[in-house]
Each structure stands twice: as structure tokens, then as C-alpha cells.
Amino acid sequence: DEETGKPDLNVLSRRELDIVKLIKEGLSSREIALRLDISLKTVEVHRFNILKKLNLKNTAALVNFINAQ
């Protein structure tokens, strides 16, 4: 959160949370796109925004963060 500088899932949109859940399940961007019936580009944009909002460097950091939740 803002005070601690720690990532907070509450800043994510409903769709971003859906994508986080699918990343946690080990799905690739392509698989997520198929599952949610959206374009691969849209998934990539969501992933980028998720990392930015949570202040994480990459997908590995995101997965570690998710697993710690």
C-alpha cells in the first residue's frame, strides 16, 4: 500500500485480477488470451499495467508476490 510501499492487489481492476489468477495457474499470455477471449496484445498490456501498478520488475517477481499472498 501507499504507506509501506508494498504492492497491494486492491489497486488492480477486476480484469487485471482475472489475469493475475491465470498467471498464478501457470498460463502463458497466449493461453490467457484464449481463455478470456481477448487479444494477445490486450493480455500483454494488462500484464504491463499489473507490474507497473504493483511496482514489480517482471513476471517472476509478480509470481513470487502472488504466491506470498
Side-chain angles (χ1 to χ4, degrees):
D1 59 22
E2 290 299 313
E3 297 85 56
T4 60
K6 287 199 176 74
D8 181 2
L9 288 175
N10 294 326
V11 302
L12 301 181
S13 70
R14 178 75 247 148
R15 181 57 110 188
E16 288 166 345
L17 288 170
D18 291 343
I19 288 174
V20 165
K21 190 166 146 285
L22 295 172
I23 292 170
K24 186 175 182 179
E25 289 176 21
L27 272 64
S28 69
S29 291
R30 187 175 302 281
E31 291 166 327
I32 292 169
L34 289 169
R35 175 86 60 98
L36 298 179
D37 196 28
I38 58 179
S39 75
L40 179 59
K41 180 75 183 148
T42 302
V43 175
E44 296 295 347
V45 169
H46 280 309
R47 287 179 81 128
F48 175 80
N49 290 336
I50 290 164
L51 293 178
K52 209 164 91 170
K53 284 183 180 181
L54 296 178
N55 200 23
L56 297 168
K57 298 270 183 279
N58 52 41
T59 302
L62 176 61
V63 171
N64 289 339
F65 169 70
I66 295 166
N67 289 336
Q69 295 302 298

